[in-house]
Structures are given as C-alpha cells and as structure tokens.
Amino acid sequence: MDPEEYVELVLSVVEEIPRGRVTSYGAIAAVVGGGPRQVGAGMARHGGPVPWWRVVRADGSLPPSHEDNARPHYLDEGTPLRGTGAVDMATAFWEPEPPAPLSTG
C-alpha cells in the first residue's frame, strides 16, 4: 500500500471515533494493517487535523508529549478517566471497523 494511502486510511478511522470515546494504536493497526508504531508515526506526521487525543496506548495512557494537550479534550468530551489520569479503557474503548476503500479517481 502506498504510504500516503495508508495515512489516509488511518486518519479516516480516527475521524470516526465518537466524542468521549477512544481507541488504541493497535486497534487501528488491526483494521488498516501495519502495526501500532506505524499508526503512531503516521499520526505524528499528519494527524493534526483529526481528533488525535482519541487514540491512546492499549493501557489507556498517552505518549508523554500528549498528556497536557489531551486532558482538556477529555474533560470537554466527558471521556472516562482513571485516577491516574489515563483513559478508562473498559468504559471508553471504541472498536474501529475497517474503513471503506479509498476512491482512486
């Protein structure tokens, strides 16, 4: 798959995550291919316009560089959090579905 097409698929999944819910890098990788790190790398480069705070690690934590910026979004959206500040994955997890194929022309 073309790298640009891969990133578009990742971002299309992220755009579908409902307010107040999250999914993991690994769950996205399971539906678009690749691995969690590949999903994270694509989001790091191109994910600014999508709700990036709705993608977390499998344990509900965020990369340290995202913690301060994500928290206001969680509070605004009513995302369930644990006492540690991590997202409560048992309550907030959203299972992504495979995205529709991208149009080629």
Side-chain angles (χ1 to χ4, degrees):
M1 178 182 305
D2 174 277
E4 287 184 27
E5 182 180 353
Y6 181 80
V7 169
E8 286 183 45
L9 286 173
V10 167
L11 298 181
S12 72
V13 172
V14 175
E15 288 175 336
E16 295 298 318
I17 305 168
R19 286 178 57 86
R21 303 288 297 278
V22 299
T23 197
S24 68
Y25 294 97
I28 293 174
V31 298
V32 300
R37 289 180 189 263
Q38 188 176 1
V39 169
M43 288 187 62
R45 287 197 253 354
H46 306 285
V50 298
W52 53 266
W53 59 92
R54 296 181 188 157
V55 182
V56 298
R57 294 175 176 158
D59 67 357
S61 66
L62 285 100
S65 61
H66 293 172
E67 289 174 355
D68 291 339
N69 294 325
R71 186 167 176 73
H73 293 287
Y74 295 146
L75 296 175
D76 178 57
E77 295 183 2
T79 306
L81 301 174
R82 297 188 315 233
T84 62
V87 173
D88 181 348
M89 294 298 276
T91 306
F93 183 74
W94 175 80
E95 185 72 45
E97 294 185 15
L102 296 175
S103 171
T104 57

